[in-house]
Every structure is written in C-alpha cells, then in structure tokens.
C-alpha cells in the first residue's frame, strides 16, 4: 500500500506536466493537415509549434526546446 502511494506521488508531477496540445495531436483530436490556410487554428498551432520545438540541422526532424511529455511519457 505504501509503495503504491509513493508511486502515485512521484508520478503525479509527471502527469501534471503533460502538454495538452501534444496529447490532442497524439490522439487525433486535432488534425493540423485538415486545416485550411487562414484557419485560426492553423496560426495558433504554428505559433505553439515554433515556440516549443526547433528544427534539427538535417531539417527532417524537430527537437523540443524544453521537456515535453504526453501521457506521462517524454516526447
């Protein structure tokens, strides 16, 4: 019982730090490729994306600027 409580207390901050935008993308609640140019959601997504991620030198991938997590797991 004590082990379960300690595990929950340790895991709690991890769950609280989850990024809701990452979770919405991972669960397909937001589909950025369906948004048309000029859609306000697209502009919001681009602003969020550029503020949280940077393009790698090869240009094929992105790296978080600060720790990101979704569902308690690091992104």
């Amino acid at each position: 019982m004590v082990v379960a409580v300690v595990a929950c207390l340790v895991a709690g901050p991890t769950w609280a730090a989850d990024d809701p935008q990452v979770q919405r993308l991972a669960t397909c609640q937001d589909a950025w490729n369906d948004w048309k140019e000029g859609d306000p959601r697209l502009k919001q997504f681009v602003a969020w994306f550029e503020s949280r991620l940077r393009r790698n030198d090869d240009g094929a991938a992105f790296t978080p600027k600060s720790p990101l997590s979704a569902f308690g797991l690091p992104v």
Side-chain angles (χ1 to χ4, degrees), residues 15-33:
W15 286 100
D18 284 348
D19 191 303
Q21 182 69 30
V22 172
Q23 288 187 186
R24 290 187 61 79
L25 290 169
T27 58
C28 299
Q29 293 175 350
D30 284 339
W32 61 268
N33 59 338

Side-chain angles (χ1 to χ4, degrees), residues 39-74:
D39 188 323
R41 293 176 297 177
L42 182 59
K43 290 180 182 181
Q44 291 171 347
F45 174 75
V46 169
W48 171 85
F49 194 90
E50 290 176 342
S51 72
R52 299 299 305 259
L53 301 162
R54 82 173 129 278
R55 186 179 295 267
N56 290 350
D57 292 335
D58 63 5
F62 294 87
T63 304
K65 293 179 180 177
S66 62
L68 285 175
S69 67
F71 310 105
L73 302 170

